[in-house]
Amino acid sequence: MQIKLVQQKRESIKADILIEYFTSQTLKNAEDAKLLERAGFKAEQDSICFLHEKGKLICGVDALDADSLRSASAVAIKALSTSAYKTLTLSLISTETIHALVEGFILGGYQFELYKSKPKDTPVESITLTSQANDFSAQEKIFNESLIVANATCFTRDIVNTAPQELNPETLALLAKKLSDENSLECTILNEAGLKEQNMHAMLAVGRASVHESQLIHLSYKPKNPKKIISLVGKGLTYDSGGLSLKPATSMVTMKMDKAGACAVLGIMKAASELGLDVEIHAFIGAVENMIGGNAYKPDDILVSRSKTTIEVRNTDAEGRLVLADVLDYAQEKVQADYIFDFATLTGACMVALGQYTTGVMGHSNKLKHHFFEAANNSGELVGTLPFNRHLKKLLKSDIADISNTSSKPYGGAITAGLFLDTFIKEDNKEKWLHFDIAGSAYTDTPWDCNVYGGTGAGVRLMSNFLKSL
Ligand code: BES
Ligand code: ZN
Ligand code: ZN
């Protein structure tokens, strides 16, 4: 599907169907008001009405703002994908909502067909957005940037959706290498021999029972004269069976998505390099498979992490934090960054706390968290903060090692996981670090907003907005 923005009158574009958006207020003055009234169309958000004879698809919105238009466009493109219309056109609503239209159509129309023996033929071939605004070149710039970010989000979704027998730590490293070749990034990969040299025994323990070697992937994007240096850390559990603390059968389904943090970080690298942002960005990914076997790590094991902090394993299903402990330590030593952000499908508890749609943001700097709230605004991603406190931190005490990998109490699990990571953040970096728990937001089995079944690409739009704002 092709999407383009042209500086022309809408009437001059020939297309099978024209899309129009109305609120219940603006509907009254619509050219087709009478016809739509007869059809019972009330312009409710996400309701649509085809006027086939007129060659129009009418979409209802609560307001002509980004969030409403994104969602309505996603509904429209899905409806059109089961119609015979091949070309569509619409005129831009405003400069502020260009990105929302692009996201609605591209992300809402996304389909992952790799494993279908008979892929659906996508009937929509082209979408032409028209504008005659005076600031057309500014609009064009926003349009092109939105397209880069939406495509990077689809790239992230594709990797998340890839089946675990195909996407393992080794193939994830190859995929990262391919991205680095295509986008002129630097790439260093450590296999298990390299991880041993680095004393990354927490990460190594998690991957020990897998037939695939764990990999540490480091990509860097280094423009000339960068304004800031940023480190991104991603949890890349290509499969999380739970290990010996085995997940129940129904909870194990979808655990291919436990690599979504790593995939988000790759998508952000793709977007940032294609946008040509003047920020230096380092991606550090811990790619590991958490399996069972005679050599698997066990509850009761004591691990010596890269930072020398000893960890009592009480649950092998709390593996992401073990991998991140070592990768965060490595990242902090390799790069003196202005900001350190980690993305991880870390806890089921995050979904309990915030719901399935919202990314949990944790860290010490209120200023930085606030900055992300602004970046999230209109991005279509939802964020909520979960506050640290010293009482929760005490629940990670171990009687035999420096720290336990699980909390001694069953509440506040997303925060105690965040506080576990905090143990591995160096004193000088405390205010520079934020942890993003995307356990709920990274994957969905039912469509919402412009998200469809499978990986959502959570983190890519949010982080791209933040990076652009620097
Ligand atoms: N990958 C899971 C978290 C998760 C759960 C992500 C559901 C997405 C959907 C993580 O490794 C895990 O299993 N966490 C445990 C921690 C517990 C053992 C302390 C959890 O959330 O139950
Ligand atoms: Zn787990
Ligand atoms: Zn996990």
Side-chain angles (χ1 to χ4, degrees):
M1 187 178 70
Q2 197 206 20
I3 181 164
K4 55 181 191 283
L5 173 66
V6 297
Q7 190 171 25
Q8 281 179 43
K9 275 199 188 132
R10 211 237 311 116
E11 295 75 24
S12 67
I13 304 296
K14 279 208 189 73
D16 297 339
I17 198 132
L18 164 69
I19 297 184
E20 286 180 348
Y21 302 88
F22 291 103
T23 67
S24 54
Q25 281 303 311
T26 60
L27 184 64
K28 291 172 192 157
N29 305 320
E31 189 188 307
D32 306 300
K34 289 232 167 69
L35 202 54
L36 288 164
E37 195 186 333
R38 233 188 298 153
F41 181 76
K42 296 196 177 64
E44 278 162 10
Q45 176 69 44
D46 296 344
S47 66
I48 54 166
C49 186
F50 273 106
L51 299 176
H52 294 287
E53 285 88 352
K54 296 210 140 195
K56 287 187 186 177
L57 173 59
I58 312 294
C59 303
V61 286
D62 281 342
L64 292 167
D65 61 14
D67 286 342
S68 307
L69 288 168
R70 181 189 303 103
S71 184
S73 306
V75 172
I77 195 74
K78 271 179 237 163
L80 286 163
S81 73
T82 54
S83 77
Y85 298 115
K86 287 196 185 328
T87 57
L88 33 143
T89 188
L90 62 150
S91 43
L92 281 191
I93 317 291
S94 63
T95 304
E96 293 69 39
T97 55
I98 296 173
H99 71 286
L101 295 180
V102 172
E103 289 160 5
F105 292 126
I106 302 281
L107 301 178
Y110 171 89
Q111 287 172 338
F112 185 72
E113 306 255 72
L114 186 62
Y115 304 119
K116 294 279 190 190
S117 53
K118 292 187 193 73
K120 282 185 228 143
D121 38 39
T122 30
V124 177
E125 285 166 5
S126 81
I127 304 176
T128 309
L129 307 176
T130 64
S131 166
Q132 291 192 292
N134 296 331
D135 60 345
F136 183 78
S137 57
Q139 292 188 328
E140 215 174 14
K141 182 169 179 281
I142 295 173
F143 174 81
N144 291 331
E145 288 179 356
S146 307
L147 205 52
I148 288 174
V149 176
N151 286 332
T153 307
C154 292
F155 169 80
T156 293
R157 289 179 176 185
D158 282 345
I159 322 173
V160 173
N161 291 336
T162 303
Q165 92 265 29
E166 191 175 335
L167 212 120
N168 57 57
E170 290 147 358
T171 53
L172 183 59
L174 291 176
L175 199 147
K177 177 76 181 70
K178 184 165 170 272
L179 174 69
S180 76
D181 290 343
E182 286 166 359
N183 285 31
S184 311
L185 310 172
E186 287 174 23
C187 175
T188 318
I189 291 167
L190 301 187
N191 59 13
E192 290 191 351
L195 294 172
K196 273 178 202 136
E197 268 172 41
Q198 288 293 328
N199 294 314
M200 297 175 75
H201 299 294
M203 172 165 166
L204 278 162
V206 175
R208 208 158 62 206
S210 169
V211 295
H212 303 288
E213 272 198 45
S214 300
Q215 312 278 327
L216 183 118
I217 303 162
H218 176 191
L219 299 184
S220 20
Y221 165 65
K222 291 181 174 169
K224 285 190 194 105
N225 310 316
K227 279 196 204 134
K228 289 271 189 277
I229 303 178
I230 294 178
S231 284
L232 303 174
V233 174
K235 170 177 172 182
L237 261 289
T238 62
Y239 203 71
D240 181 12
S241 70
L244 288 177
S245 314
L246 195 64
K247 285 183 184 292
T250 49
S251 318
M252 207 186 291
V253 181
T254 72
M255 276 305 138
K256 66 169 183 184
M257 60 77 92
D258 214 18
K259 58 185 181 296
C263 303
V265 165
L266 290 175
I268 297 162
M269 292 304 276
K270 180 174 163 70
S273 52
E274 290 172 12
L275 290 168
L277 299 181
D278 50 2
V279 253
E280 179 172 320
I281 314 175
H282 294 264
F284 297 92
I285 289 169
V288 187
E289 190 182 50
N290 187 19
M291 299 297 278
I292 55 170
N295 60 341
Y297 85 124
K298 322 168 203 32
D300 290 351
D301 276 349
I302 308 289
L303 311 177
V304 184
S305 69
R306 186 178 189 275
S307 71
K308 302 276 174 339
T309 302
T310 58
I311 307 168
E312 178 191 359
V313 178
R314 294 183 67 88
N315 190 317
T316 62
D317 198 11
E319 83 300 334
R321 60 195 78 182
L322 299 173
V323 172
L324 290 177
D326 276 350
V327 181
L328 280 166
D329 190 67
Y330 179 88
Q332 291 173 91
E333 193 182 291
K334 290 287 161 195
V335 177
Q336 300 308 308
D338 297 298
Y339 300 117
I340 305 160
F341 303 125
D342 75 74
F343 287 86
T345 47
L346 206 60
T347 64
C350 188
M351 280 185 269
V352 177
L354 295 173
Q356 285 178 63
Y357 312 107
T358 303
T359 295
V361 185
M362 285 157 260
H364 300 284
S365 166
N366 288 329
K367 195 172 148 204
L368 199 50
K369 280 184 262 187
H370 185 76
H371 197 153
F372 266 94
F373 274 110
E374 306 223 304
N377 206 8
N378 286 330
S379 77
E381 288 199 41
L382 303 172
V383 295
T385 48
L386 295 167
F388 285 162
N389 67 58
R390 63 196 165 84
H391 309 290
L392 284 169
K393 185 131 190 175
K394 276 193 259 170
L395 304 179
L396 291 166
K397 276 205 177 125
S398 163
D399 290 320
I400 189 165
D402 297 338
I403 191 167
S404 161
N405 82 327
T406 57
S407 163
S408 56
K409 290 221 164 80
Y411 306 116
I415 302 177
T416 49
L419 285 165
F420 180 91
L421 299 182
D422 174 51
T423 312
F424 299 88
I425 301 295
K426 298 195 167 43
E427 223 36 67
D428 290 347
N429 292 332
K430 293 284 187 201
E431 295 286 313
K432 301 177 183 170
W433 166 69
L434 288 182
H435 159 56
F436 295 84
D437 193 330
I438 56 171
S441 54
Y443 197 86
T444 182
D445 51 10
T446 43
W448 62 277
D449 195 54
C450 60
N451 299 301
V452 297
Y453 171 84
T456 62
V460 179
R461 281 179 286 158
L462 174 68
M463 197 63 205
S464 300
N465 268 11
F466 174 83
L467 293 171
K468 279 198 269 175
S469 75
L470 288 174

